[in-house]
Amino acid sequence: MSLPPEFALIARHFRPLAGPGALDLADDAAVLEIPAGRRLVIAADAMVEGVHYLPGDPPGTVGRKLLRVNLSDLAAMGAVPLGYLMTTSLARGTPDGWLADFVAGLAEDQRLFGLTLLGGDTTATPGPTSLSLTILGTVEPGKVVTRAGARPGDDLWVSGTIGDGALGLKVLQGALPADAAGHLARRYRLPEPRLALGQALAGLVRAGMDVSDGLVQDLGHLCRAGGCGAVLDAGAVPLSDAARTLLAADAGLLPLLLTGGDDYELLLAADPADRAEVMARAAASGMAVARIGRFIAGPAEVSVLAPDGTPLALPRGGWSHF
């Protein structure tokens, strides 16, 4: 007897992504072995067409972004990837070739980051396409990094560069000129989960999270979790060459850089006494970090200083669905 269409699609596209614990995607659940002496870390994120990615984005980058934004959550907690579950609600009429390219992107990043598909669900919807992924990882007991733990006087650190994802979206929408190297569009479509850095700093930093909804808004989450405030020095926020070029031409872009989101960099709190160690471990992991402010006693609020040191008022802190 031939497979029903739904199960034939699963066998054709998703079974090649499956690892040993997935039981060849023939059962309703996976059986997973957790490495001895490790703790399980679980996170989930969804992506909706037209909200988290553009309808014309290459399907391969859509699959890779779906996996990477979840890997970024593991990076923020200092975890090592183990596997993932995925639910796809595909708009009716989605071409088989779109799904093939989507899966090819996932396969590429599975090889890059060392994990496999464990299972999930596949459905159809009138649209738009909605994709959900649940990531599993492990971390050494006592080394998990959470949002809570920042203290007044702690340094505020961030990895990589900020603002590229928000600028990349504007570039792809035609609202900003493209940089010659295509860096900004790539940063929007393919964020880089800072797994090596998160693992290197686990057990050293006091608090952390990834920047997904905007630097200022996400810093507010660290403040609320730690029961303290923060001062952010906008002039110290690291920018790519492409972002600096656009900002030099239009200083009004600064609020977008600080609040636009889609950065997927790590935002961290650490004892000032550990500055040298933070820098050394970051360098050993191959990732640059920058000190961009400090935590202070007081209400759980974020004060932003412009590059000239004066207070900077922002129209919003970051992205919100509601």
Side-chain angles (χ1 to χ4, degrees), residues 1 20 70 86 91-92 153 188 193 204 241 271 301 304 307 321-322:
M1 179 183 295
N70 280 273
M86 182 174 62
R92 295 191 186 280
Y188 172 72
L204 176 67
D241 290 341
D271 189 326
E301 298 174 353
V304 182
H321 285 279
F322 302 100

Side-chain angles (χ1 to χ4, degrees), residues 148-167:
R151 305 173 190 172
D154 279 356
D155 288 334
L156 173 64
W157 297 87
V158 74
S159 66
T161 57
I162 293 296
D164 292 338
L167 292 175

Side-chain angles (χ1 to χ4, degrees), residues 178-261:
D179 58 299
H183 170 80
L184 297 175
R186 177 178 173 83
R187 284 277 282 160
Y188 172 72
R189 286 173 167 163
L190 287 178
E192 295 286 347
R194 306 305 187 186
L195 287 161
L197 176 65
Q199 292 161 23
L201 294 178
L204 176 67
V205 297
R206 286 178 168 157
M209 65 178 295
D210 70 335
V211 181
S212 57
D213 294 329
L215 179 65
V216 174
Q217 181 164 290
D218 288 332
L219 175 54
H221 294 319
L222 288 186
C223 290
R224 283 184 289 276
C228 56
V231 176
L232 173 65
D233 180 2
V237 173
L239 304 177
S240 67
D241 290 341
R244 287 189 183 281
T245 298
L246 288 174
L247 185 61
D250 182 2
L253 289 173
L254 182 59
L256 175 65
L257 302 181
L258 299 177
T259 66

Side-chain angles (χ1 to χ4, degrees), residues 19-69:
L23 304 178
D24 209 26
L25 300 185
D27 284 81
D28 288 331
V31 178
L32 194 60
E33 188 148 341
I34 308 301
R38 306 281 291 183
R39 295 292 181 266
L40 189 63
V41 178
I42 305 172
D45 265 307
M47 285 182 17
V48 179
E49 181 183 10
V51 178
H52 301 92
Y53 67 94
L54 299 173
D57 281 348
T61 66
V62 174
R64 297 176 73 186
K65 184 172 185 177
L66 177 65
L67 183 55
R68 288 175 179 222
V69 300

Side-chain angles (χ1 to χ4, degrees), residues 13-14 17 47 53-69 84 86 90 94-113 129 131 133 185-186 188-191:
H13 290 295
F14 296 123
L17 298 176
M47 285 182 17
Y53 67 94
L54 299 173
D57 281 348
T61 66
V62 174
R64 297 176 73 186
K65 184 172 185 177
L66 177 65
L67 183 55
R68 288 175 179 222
V69 300
Y84 68 97
M86 182 174 62
L90 303 171
T94 297
D96 196 71
W98 188 98
L99 192 54
D101 290 345
F102 172 82
V103 166
L106 283 170
E108 182 175 350
D109 271 6
Q110 283 191 178
R111 290 189 292 270
L112 181 62
F113 296 109
T129 290
L131 309 164
L133 192 145
R186 177 178 173 83
Y188 172 72
R189 286 173 167 163
L190 287 178

